[in-house]
Amino acid sequence: MDSEVELENGGIKVDGELGWGKSLPVPSVQEMVRNDSEFVPERYIQESKDRPLDSTFCPKFNEIPVIDLTLLINGDEDELDKLDFACKEWGFFQIINHGVPEEVLGEMKAVVADFFNLPLEEKKKYAMAENDLQGYGQAYVVSEDQKLDWGDLIYLMTSPLEARNMKYWPTTLSGFKEAVEEYSREIERVSEEIMASVSLLMGMDKNGLKRLHVVRKQSMRMNYYPPCSKPDLVLGVSPHSDGGSITLLLQDDDITGLQIRYKGTWLPVKPIPNALVVNIGDVVEAWSNGMYKSIEHRAVTNENKARMSIATFVIPHEGIELGPVESMMQDQPRMYKTMKYLDYIIHSLGRKMDGKAHTNFLKLENKS
């Protein structure tokens, strides 16, 4: 495969195709709801076993850990222990006192709202190409008969600069580019600070994860989930784990939509105003030899209100090798294969979201 791969504008070129995979075009859910707010097409109704029937009647409402980033940066040992527990036990945590100005968070939410408020024909100017996941549409649609998610999105590569494809950026939308760039810079700083602490916990120096990435890339998935008249029949995003290193999520302060699978139960993640939700991705799971696990999560819909969220993914260079780092195997058997990250993302982007199935591809046989 190496001979068939070359980097071009920060993307992936495989057998003559440039892009990060592809997704089949589907109708805009937002437009569908505008035209008929009561109708839910069959293709969006999940199989009985996958429906979020427990979304309202969750037996327990455990709170995921909350990490104070200022304490963490200042070397507070209790906060570092809390981070270790959060990564091992939950794979998810919220961070407060992260230093991202409230106005930067507000501007980012505002420009995403402005984009989804554009007329459909205007949004279609930024539609995903046949061989690229960047742009406006829906991701992980790989067959004409799979169940669809109740949401629209725009996905952009944001860093480094050469990874961007500006034809997908709605640059005519006032303030969009500036708000995304400023938010991107802040999130890059925050993600670097989190990874420095995780590096120490993994037995490396604070730049350990940074070196493993070779080139640290960043992408954003901006989501719009319209209200749904039958929210217990559909999903905003199907269950999955994230294929990058870590993910930082900015969500609406007043609508709970994110759920994580914790000890076999779907638990809602209640938003903390101006906090960021962070989760471990498959890459760190493999590097940590499974000590820190990427956790299955999904988004549910709301009967009365639309919800937006902005997920920022930290991604390593496509050419790096996945597999446990030496410091994580001193007292443990090797649980994960060594493979190129490119091979992993080609595998995962060619399939629909399916819980932890993508992560299992990374594991050695007979390892669970």
Side-chain angles (χ1 to χ4, degrees):
M1 176 165 289
D2 288 357
S3 61
E4 298 169 348
V5 177
E6 63 179 274
L7 298 181
E8 183 176 303
N9 296 330
I12 302 173
K13 192 172 184 179
V14 183
D15 295 331
E17 288 191 301
L18 176 66
W20 283 77
K22 58 185 177 181
S23 185
L24 300 175
V26 293
S28 161
V29 181
Q30 184 181 11
E31 203 64 20
M32 200 164 60
V33 172
R34 275 179 180 162
N35 293 333
D36 186 345
S37 62
E38 295 301 313
F39 180 57
V40 179
E42 182 65 30
R43 199 174 172 193
Y44 294 85
I45 298 176
Q46 299 289 323
E47 305 294 344
S48 296
K49 63 182 177 58
D50 299 324
R51 294 174 188 172
L53 297 177
D54 59 351
S55 60
T56 306
F57 309 103
C58 193
K60 50 186 176 179
F61 200 88
N62 291 15
E63 299 288 348
I64 67 170
V66 178
I67 304 293
D68 186 317
L69 193 62
T70 300
L71 290 177
L72 198 64
I73 293 167
N74 290 334
D76 186 286
E77 287 295 332
D78 289 341
E79 213 65 20
L80 192 63
D81 289 343
K82 232 161 92 175
L83 177 66
D84 186 44
F85 172 78
C87 293
K88 281 178 181 170
E89 175 72 11
W90 291 85
F92 267 81
F93 51 95
Q94 299 205 57
I95 55 169
I96 58 173
N97 294 330
H98 45 62
V100 183
E102 195 172 329
E103 56 268 26
V104 173
L105 301 176
E107 274 300 309
M108 187 65 203
K109 290 179 180 180
V111 296
V112 172
D114 288 345
F115 173 77
F116 285 107
N117 282 333
L118 290 172
L120 179 62
E121 288 310 309
E122 186 66 24
K123 291 196 288 273
K124 277 185 173 179
K125 292 177 181 177
Y126 310 102
M128 293 173 180
E130 277 189 18
N131 64 338
D132 201 344
L133 283 182
Q134 291 192 78
Y136 170 69
Q138 197 175 115
Y140 293 94
V141 183
V142 297
S143 75
E144 296 289 352
D145 56 358
Q146 78 182 68
K147 294 296 183 181
L148 296 178
D149 290 339
W150 194 263
D152 300 334
L153 65 89
I154 179 167
Y155 179 84
L156 301 173
M157 292 297 299
T158 47
S159 179
L161 288 176
E162 58 270 20
R164 296 179 181 179
N165 190 332
M166 296 310 294
K167 76 176 184 180
Y168 297 117
W169 287 57
T171 48
T172 55
L173 193 61
S174 177
F176 183 91
K177 180 172 179 285
E178 294 76 13
V180 171
E181 286 182 333
E182 190 167 6
Y183 180 71
S184 171
R185 284 191 296 270
E186 292 285 349
I187 292 299
E188 187 165 359
R189 171 187 58 78
V190 172
S191 64
E192 192 164 322
E193 289 164 346
I194 293 168
M195 287 197 299
S197 293
V198 175
S199 296
L200 296 175
L201 292 170
M202 289 174 60
M204 300 180 285
D205 65 62
K206 67 178 183 179
N207 293 315
L209 285 175
K210 189 175 182 179
R211 283 194 303 273
L212 287 173
H213 281 76
V214 180
V215 176
R216 199 167 66 256
K217 297 191 172 186
Q218 184 196 84
S219 65
M220 286 188 197
R221 173 177 162 145
M222 306 166 196
N223 305 295
Y224 181 88
Y225 306 109
C228 181
S229 61
K230 298 179 177 66
D232 284 344
L233 299 182
V234 307
L235 287 172
V237 173
S238 299
H240 66 285
S241 61
D242 290 345
S245 309
I246 62 171
T247 304
L248 298 93
L249 181 76
L250 177 63
Q251 54 178 346
D252 282 339
D253 291 338
D254 57 346
I255 305 171
T256 300
L258 172 65
Q259 295 183 342
I260 66 171
R261 192 189 285 276
Y262 180 71
K263 296 183 177 178
T265 302
W266 286 106
L267 292 180
V269 177
K270 187 177 180 181
I272 298 172
N274 299 318
L276 295 166
V277 179
V278 181
N279 63 279
I280 299 296
D282 294 342
V283 171
V284 169
E285 176 170 331
W287 279 337
S288 72
N289 201 28
M291 179 178 286
Y292 298 153
K293 287 186 169 59
S294 60
I295 298 299
E296 202 174 336
H297 53 287
R298 68 184 186 184
V300 297
T301 60
N302 186 286
E303 188 172 2
N304 304 307
K305 290 182 178 179
R307 173 177 173 264
M308 289 185 301
S309 69
I310 299 134
T312 305
F313 306 100
V314 180
I315 309 164
H317 188 281
E318 298 89 6
I320 65 102
E321 285 197 338
L322 296 179
V325 299
E326 200 62 40
S327 59
M328 302 305 290
M329 292 193 296
Q330 291 176 356
D331 303 313
Q332 299 292 331
R334 184 187 189 92
M335 304 290 287
Y336 294 76
K337 306 170 188 172
T338 295
M339 70 167 63
K340 280 201 183 327
Y341 183 55
L342 176 61
D343 294 339
Y344 173 64
I345 53 176
I346 288 173
H347 169 85
S348 60
L349 291 177
R351 290 155 180 77
K352 67 178 183 177
M353 287 183 173
D354 186 18
K356 289 282 285 178
H358 296 166
T359 325
N360 292 337
F361 177 65
L362 289 170
K363 293 183 178 179
L364 292 168
E365 289 183 23
N366 304 319
K367 302 291 185 182
S368 59

